[in-house]
């Protein structure tokens, strides 16, 4: 019940419910089912749920790309299975889905482009041109990702779960790709926290919270320093 109440009272969940109707909120359910089936080691059902997550939006791949890797890292039931079997298919399919989705959106858009590319100064033109620009400016993108303001945003997203996911850092793999996306688009805290986009980081927060609570319950974390 504590975890359920923490999810329902998470400011990012409330913001997504109050801000406006947006299709992005529907990614939570199939992704949660993915985690449920992955924890049980059910590969086919897990991959099916990831595919349903992709169908929510053309850029849902930012929540799916590393989901298989994340599940492999945190769930003992699948840790004994093939690493590539869990991590590679979601990554490849996410990339293909994004390319196909943005192509179709651009084709049928009145302006014949994908509007969200406009938020990134180098994410314009053809796919080949975009990739070349990213490679040429990799240092600039890396600098953007390591900005202090981005770190503060991540910490702010972890505050509703008392920063406990920091005790289970492997769960944070689920927020890597959304964080990269917003860093490339030069998004700030004001673009994420007050609106529905913060919801993309909630799965990592909740998985990290669950893992941290399990570690604390099993006393696998040395907390003796707190008694000093």
């Amino acid at each position: 019940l504590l975890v359920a109440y923490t999810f329902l009272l998470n400011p990012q969940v409330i913001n997504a419910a109050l801000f406006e109707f947006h299709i992005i909120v529907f990614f939570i359910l199939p992704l949660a089912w993915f985690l449920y089936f992955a924890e049980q080691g059910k590969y086919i059902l897990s991959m099916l749920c990831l595919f349903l997550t992709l169908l929510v939006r053309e850029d849902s791949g930012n929540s799916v790309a590393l989901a298989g890797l994340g599940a492999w890292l945190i769930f003992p039931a699948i840790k004994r299975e093939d690493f590539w079997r869990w991590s590679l298919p979601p990554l490849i399919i996410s990339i293909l889905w994004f390319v196909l989705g943005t192509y179709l959106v651009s084709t049928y858009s009145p302006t014949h482009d994908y509007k969200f590319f406009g938020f990134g100064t180098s994410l314009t033109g053809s796919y080949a041109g975009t990739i070349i620009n990213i490679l040429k400016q990799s240092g600039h993108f890396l600098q953007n990702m390591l900005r202090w303001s981005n770190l503060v945003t991540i910490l702010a997203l972890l505050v509703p779960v008392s920063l406990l996911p920091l005790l289970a850092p492997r769960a944070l793999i689920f927020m890597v790709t959304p964080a990269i996306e917003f860093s490339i688009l030069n998004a700030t805290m004001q673009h994420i926290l007050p609106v529905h986009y913060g919801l993309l980081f909630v799965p990592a927060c909740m998985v990290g919270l669950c893992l941290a609570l399990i570690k604390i319950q099993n006393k696998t974390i040395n907390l003796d320093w707190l008694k000093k």
Side-chain angles (χ1 to χ4, degrees):
L1 285 178
L2 174 63
V3 174
Y5 282 127
T6 303
F7 171 77
L8 293 174
L9 296 176
N10 190 300
Q12 303 312 313
V13 175
I14 296 174
N15 286 345
L18 296 180
F19 179 67
E20 63 177 0
F21 173 78
H22 200 285
I23 194 71
I24 198 173
V25 301
F26 290 103
F27 92 98
I28 282 284
L29 182 59
L31 189 61
W33 278 110
F34 159 75
L35 293 170
Y36 174 78
F37 289 123
E39 194 271 338
Q40 299 180 44
K42 297 180 179 179
Y43 181 79
I44 299 299
L45 290 175
S46 298
M47 293 300 113
L48 176 61
C49 289
L50 283 186
F51 180 71
L52 292 176
T53 305
L54 282 178
L55 295 179
V56 172
R57 259 174 57 130
E58 74 283 348
D59 61 346
S60 295
N62 64 8
S63 299
V64 172
L66 299 181
L69 171 61
W72 187 85
L73 287 173
I74 64 177
F75 294 136
I78 64 177
K79 195 67 178 290
R80 297 181 294 271
E81 298 186 22
D82 183 21
F83 168 80
W84 298 109
R85 182 169 179 254
W86 280 90
S87 61
L88 201 55
L91 177 61
I92 293 175
I93 294 174
S94 295
I95 294 173
L96 294 176
W97 177 259
F98 179 73
V99 172
L100 175 63
T102 54
Y103 172 77
L104 291 176
V105 170
S106 301
T107 299
Y108 292 101
S109 168
T111 57
H112 298 290
D113 61 4
Y114 183 62
K115 67 174 184 178
F116 293 107
F117 278 169
F119 291 109
T121 55
S122 298
L123 301 181
T124 55
S126 65
Y127 291 110
T130 297
I131 293 173
I132 291 173
N133 284 336
I134 290 177
L135 292 176
K136 285 182 177 180
Q137 302 184 40
S138 56
H140 170 71
F141 287 125
L142 182 61
Q143 185 178 3
N144 272 354
M145 284 185 278
L146 298 178
R147 285 183 305 178
W148 174 250
S149 59
N150 288 338
L151 177 59
V152 172
T153 300
I154 296 299
L155 292 176
L157 289 164
L158 295 176
V159 166
V161 287
S162 304
L163 302 179
L164 285 176
L166 295 178
L167 300 178
R170 284 182 291 183
L172 300 182
I173 190 73
F174 290 97
M175 68 167 57
V176 168
T177 41
I180 291 175
E181 178 187 20
F182 287 113
S183 296
I184 289 177
L185 297 178
N186 295 315
T188 64
M189 186 183 299
Q190 289 71 29
H191 295 117
I192 300 173
L193 298 184
V195 294
H196 46 256
Y197 291 115
L199 197 66
L200 293 170
F201 298 88
V202 170
C205 294
M206 298 310 302
V207 171
L209 173 64
C210 293
L211 294 179
L213 291 176
I214 291 172
K215 284 187 174 183
I216 293 172
Q217 182 182 20
N218 295 335
K219 298 180 180 179
T220 56
I221 297 177
N222 185 5
L223 297 179
D224 292 339
W225 60 273
L226 290 175
K227 302 176 183 178
K228 298 179 180 180

